[in-house]
Amino acid sequence: MASSSSSSSDHPSNPSMASEKVGPIAPAAAPDVEEEVEQAILDDALTKASSSDLDERPRVPLSGTSRSSSSSSTPGQKGLTLEQEQASKLSALDVLVVGAMAGAFSKTITAPLDRVRIMFQVNSTRAFSFKGAAETAAQIIRESGPQGLWKGNTATLWRVVPFSGIQFFVWDIAHSHLKAHPSFEGRGPIASLLAGASAGVTAT
């Protein structure tokens, strides 16, 4: 009997009493997770806001970069920058060769006209006219073929090629020096005229 009573006292039948002995149940961890999610969302929003503020700030260039960009973008007299104008400028040898080639090409193209002119000069009895010039050119072609219009052109090139090359060469040098002189500032045509005169005198 004593054992039965003790067993009954060790295991109470009242559920309320059993809950009191067990103690309070620990709260769920869901609120902590929600707080962590909210904190992560807030941090992300702050990060995006700070990055957008940095992007919207005006970018101030460095002093050296601004000076170099302003100096390189200074237009020349022909709308080119100083670097582009210097890069596009031919060397002295290039100017000499280009001038010689230009003289040879132009003289070869106009050689038939020069040939007809000489025919009229050596025959003083014939008056010049466009019809007479065409008849003279046709006569040369009948007698010597089309190459007859260029007869004597090779000998003429021996004079024209060096003359034209020197003329271009001297004009380029004289024009550059005159244009850089303070007294010719704003007087480009006068500088070109004097440079051309110097080139013609030197080449002759």
Side-chain angles (χ1 to χ4, degrees), residues 149-166:
L149 295 173
W150 281 269
K151 188 177 180 179
N153 184 56
T154 304
T156 306
L157 290 179
W158 282 100
R159 180 188 64 84
V160 171
V161 169
F163 176 85
S164 183
I166 294 173

Side-chain angles (χ1 to χ4, degrees), residues 107 125 174:
K107 185 64 184 70
T125 59

Side-chain angles (χ1 to χ4, degrees), residues 63-120:
S63 59
T65 306
S66 62
R67 284 198 299 267
S68 62
S69 61
S70 62
S71 63
S72 61
S73 62
T74 302
Q77 294 182 355
K78 296 182 179 179
L80 300 175
T81 62
L82 183 59
E83 289 79 2
Q84 290 175 346
E85 189 174 357
Q86 291 177 353
S88 62
K89 186 175 178 60
L90 297 176
S91 64
L93 181 61
D94 292 337
V95 172
L96 184 66
V97 173
V98 169
M101 293 176 62
F105 180 78
S106 61
K107 185 64 184 70
T108 302
I109 293 297
T110 59
L113 302 177
D114 201 16
R115 172 72 170 149
V116 173
R117 177 184 62 83
I118 292 174
M119 294 296 293
F120 275 94

Side-chain angles (χ1 to χ4, degrees), residues 2-203:
S3 61
S4 62
S5 62
S6 62
S7 62
S8 61
S9 63
D10 293 337
H11 300 282
S13 61
N14 193 355
S16 62
M17 294 177 63
S19 62
E20 292 176 359
K21 288 184 178 181
V22 171
I25 300 174
D32 295 338
V33 175
E34 292 179 357
E35 290 179 0
E36 292 179 357
V37 172
E38 291 178 356
Q39 185 66 31
I41 294 173
L42 181 60
D43 294 340
D44 189 17
L46 291 175
T47 303
K48 291 181 178 179
S50 61
S51 62
S52 63
D53 292 339
L54 290 175
D55 294 337
E56 292 177 357
R57 290 178 182 177
R59 298 180 180 179
V60 180
L62 297 177
S63 59
T65 306
S66 62
R67 284 198 299 267
S68 62
S69 61
S70 62
S71 63
S72 61
S73 62
T74 302
Q77 294 182 355
K78 296 182 179 179
L80 300 175
T81 62
L82 183 59
E83 289 79 2
Q84 290 175 346
E85 189 174 357
Q86 291 177 353
S88 62
K89 186 175 178 60
L90 297 176
S91 64
L93 181 61
D94 292 337
V95 172
L96 184 66
V97 173
V98 169
M101 293 176 62
F105 180 78
S106 61
K107 185 64 184 70
T108 302
I109 293 297
T110 59
L113 302 177
D114 201 16
R115 172 72 170 149
V116 173
R117 177 184 62 83
I118 292 174
M119 294 296 293
F120 275 94
Q121 286 179 345
V122 298
N123 190 359
S124 59
T125 59
R126 299 180 59 183
F128 177 80
S129 64
F130 290 104
K131 182 179 179 181
E135 293 175 353
T136 302
Q139 181 181 356
I140 293 173
I141 293 174
R142 285 194 303 267
E143 294 176 355
S144 304
Q147 65 272 14
L149 295 173
W150 281 269
K151 188 177 180 179
N153 184 56
T154 304
T156 306
L157 290 179
W158 282 100
R159 180 188 64 84
V160 171
V161 169
F163 176 85
S164 183
I166 294 173
Q167 187 178 23
F168 271 71
F169 176 75
V170 174
W171 184 91
D172 185 71
I173 294 177
H175 186 258
S176 299
H177 283 79
L178 290 174
K179 188 174 63 174
H181 199 274
S183 60
F184 287 94
E185 185 177 358
R187 299 178 180 178
I190 298 178
S192 300
L193 180 63
L194 293 177
S198 302
V201 170
T202 307

